[in-house]
Amino acid sequence: MLRRIDLSGEVPGYSARALRELMPRAAFDVNEALRSVQPLIDDIRHRGTAAVVEIVERFDHVRLEHLRVPAEAIKTAVEELDPDLRRAYQTSIDRVRAAHEAQRLPEVVTEVAPGGTVTERYLPVDRVGLYAPGGLAVLASSVIMNAVPAQIAGVGSIALASPSQKNNNGLPDQGILAVAGMLGIDEVYSVGGPAAIGMFAYGTDECAPVDMITGPGNIYVTAAKRAVRGLVGIDAEAGTTEIAVIADATADPAHVAADLISQAEHDPAAASVLITDSADLADAVDAELVRRVPDTRHAGRIQTALAGEQSGTILVADIDEAVAVADAYAAEHLEIQTADAREVALRVRNAGAIFVGAYSPVSLGDYCAGSNHVLPTGGCARHSAGLSVHTFLRGVHIIDYSREALEVVAADVVAFANSEDLPSHGEAVSVRFEAK
């Protein structure tokens, strides 16, 4: 079922870069998408609301009279929410809030010399725009994952955008509206895709521009975020979802297969990768995939994802090689289904999130683990982290020196300045000690 790459015993002979080039990976050409998206962003920049309305009608086939969702629609979505789903939403909110509260950063004052201090304060951005996808999968869970960390960080103004749904009178999905209401977010827009990103970046007569945009989306949303990056902050340029599973002979092939399928369900370009030192397990997982995929609701989408160049099984000689391969791949989601799974997990350096053992599947993290599911893709876990409270904070240094403290270091500043041919920098210090 999954194509195989046999690296057994060869991994130590490859550099990290060479290993990365061998990994299954989806093609993700943001620059190509940007060529289609840039004119839309430019149109919103110049024409505001009128451009947003036209773009929404063109792509979502809904003609909006107002971009903003009426407060009554949000209230109704909460009131009409199925009790079981409301409980699930609340469980997710509570656990995400509990896990992210620990990410708060205290103010730190450091006395670097007598009379000289540097204080680091962590200040939230003033206003953020959160994006919740509404395409192949409508992700109410993403509202929780974006909004809760922003609220904990202390962001004062939060706006949410999600695509219009023809089957909901042009409003975003009812689940997304209900979660927004449960979180106290009353500024919601029926705008999706690049139009939402342009609206947030440049503003309209209904939506004030934001300072930061976060949230997952398709390649066109990613391209739009690239187009406005710098004007606003963004969380990341996220690609299609991916899972890698390190498994040995102790793993249950049914568990592994189910987890690979769960991520393939997202998108035909989703990546599902098995890394194992057991050919027997690989065979058993393939057999489970053959048995299970035809009975899934999204069998066509899943089959396409599993058969794509972005998915596959990588055979290695042992768990040491498996960890090296996993670090080279730097998966968005990495499961460890091995003997001593936690010990193996602690050896991994590159992953967006790591799921340990048979009872910590990625699906748990998607909804109710307490962790965040907005994670780096495409190997970016080598240098970037997932969305968190820190995403919405800026560290600001406050420098406070007395006259005596500055005088101690004045000669050093002058020496530095002169060495860099910036003598006026030095004079800005020495002038303070000239006789009057």
Side-chain angles (χ1 to χ4, degrees):
M1 188 77 174
L2 291 171
R3 70 188 181 97
R4 294 195 185 181
I5 301 171
D6 192 346
L7 298 180
S8 302
E10 298 182 16
V11 173
Y14 288 100
S15 66
R17 176 180 174 182
L19 271 181
R20 288 197 296 271
E21 292 174 351
L22 292 171
M23 298 296 103
R25 190 74 78 186
F28 195 72
D29 191 345
V30 177
N31 283 330
E32 180 63 29
L34 188 57
R35 281 193 275 272
S36 300
V37 166
Q38 189 67 60
L40 306 179
I41 299 297
D42 292 341
D43 194 20
I44 294 170
R45 177 182 181 183
H46 291 109
R47 297 197 300 126
T49 298
V52 173
V53 169
E54 290 175 15
I55 293 167
V56 169
E57 184 173 24
R58 175 181 167 189
F59 291 101
D60 294 333
H61 311 294
V62 174
R63 181 75 181 183
L64 297 176
E65 292 186 13
H66 300 284
L67 306 183
R68 186 163 176 171
V69 175
E72 188 63 30
I74 299 172
K75 180 182 177 183
T76 299
V78 175
E79 292 173 346
E80 296 180 350
L81 190 58
D82 175 82
D84 289 340
L85 189 53
R86 181 169 190 147
R87 185 190 68 249
Y89 286 166
Q90 193 63 56
T91 297
S92 178
I93 290 168
D94 292 345
R95 293 190 178 191
V96 171
R97 184 166 285 139
H100 286 68
E101 283 280 359
Q103 296 172 0
R104 290 177 179 271
L105 295 171
E107 181 177 290
V108 178
V109 181
T110 304
E111 185 177 60
V112 297
T117 64
V118 175
T119 300
E120 182 144 34
R121 298 185 68 204
Y122 295 94
L123 303 175
V125 297
D126 291 332
R127 176 168 165 79
V128 300
L130 309 180
Y131 185 73
L136 290 178
V138 179
L139 302 182
S141 54
S142 280
V143 180
I144 298 170
M145 300 296 171
N146 282 269
V148 170
Q151 290 174 332
I152 292 172
V155 175
S157 177
I158 298 175
L160 171 67
S162 191
S164 300
Q165 304 291 330
K166 291 183 69 175
N167 61 1
N168 197 32
N169 298 315
L171 297 175
D173 175 76
Q174 284 293 95
I176 285 174
L177 294 181
V179 170
M182 292 173 67
L183 290 169
I185 298 173
D186 59 8
E187 186 182 351
V188 183
Y189 296 91
S190 303
V191 182
I197 306 306
M199 175 189 70
F200 280 150
Y202 291 106
T204 68
D205 52 3
E206 292 185 61
C207 177
V210 304
D211 301 303
M212 171 171 278
I213 300 171
T214 71
N218 63 22
I219 191 170
Y220 297 101
V221 170
T222 298
K225 288 163 81 173
R226 177 176 290 185
V228 300
R229 186 175 195 167
L231 174 66
V232 297
I234 66 170
D235 52 348
E237 293 187 4
T240 311
T241 191
E242 58 197 28
I243 179 176
V245 181
I246 295 178
D248 63 13
T250 68
D252 186 325
H255 295 173
V256 176
D259 295 348
L260 295 173
I261 289 170
S262 73
Q263 291 307 296
E265 184 176 39
H266 273 282
D267 192 284
S272 295
V273 176
L274 170 61
I275 306 168
T276 183
D277 61 351
S278 171
D280 288 343
L281 177 75
D283 292 339
V285 169
D286 278 349
E288 285 287 337
L289 293 174
V290 169
R291 183 173 71 84
R292 291 171 178 273
V293 170
D295 293 332
T296 60
R297 179 179 300 181
H298 305 294
R301 185 191 306 171
I302 292 167
Q303 177 61 50
T304 299
L306 294 177
E309 64 180 13
Q310 72 276 13
S311 298
T313 295
I314 301 174
L315 293 174
V316 294
D318 51 35
I319 296 302
D320 288 341
E321 288 191 0
V323 170
V325 168
D327 276 339
Y329 185 67
E332 177 189 19
H333 310 95
L334 177 65
E335 289 188 357
I336 312 293
Q337 298 194 38
T338 66
D340 301 319
R342 184 168 182 84
E343 185 275 329
V344 174
L346 293 175
R347 292 165 56 194
V348 174
R349 294 183 56 81
N350 300 332
I354 303 173
F355 299 81
V356 180
Y359 298 99
S360 303
V362 168
S363 296
L364 174 66
D366 283 339
Y367 302 116
C368 292
S371 57
N372 206 291
H373 79 199
V374 182
L375 300 166
T377 61
C380 291
R382 292 183 295 112
H383 52 73
S384 298
L387 190 137
S388 70
V389 172
H390 304 160
T391 303
F392 302 98
L393 296 173
R394 302 155 295 141
V396 178
H397 278 162
I398 300 174
I399 298 90
D400 186 356
Y401 269 54
S402 66
R403 186 183 194 282
E404 293 74 20
L406 177 60
E407 188 172 24
V408 169
V409 78
D412 296 325
V413 174
V414 171
F416 251 121
N418 289 338
S419 74
E420 296 182 351
D421 194 26
L422 296 170
S424 293
H425 282 59
E427 290 169 11
V429 170
S430 59
V431 69
R432 286 165 165 77
F433 302 103
E434 293 176 355
K436 299 299 184 182

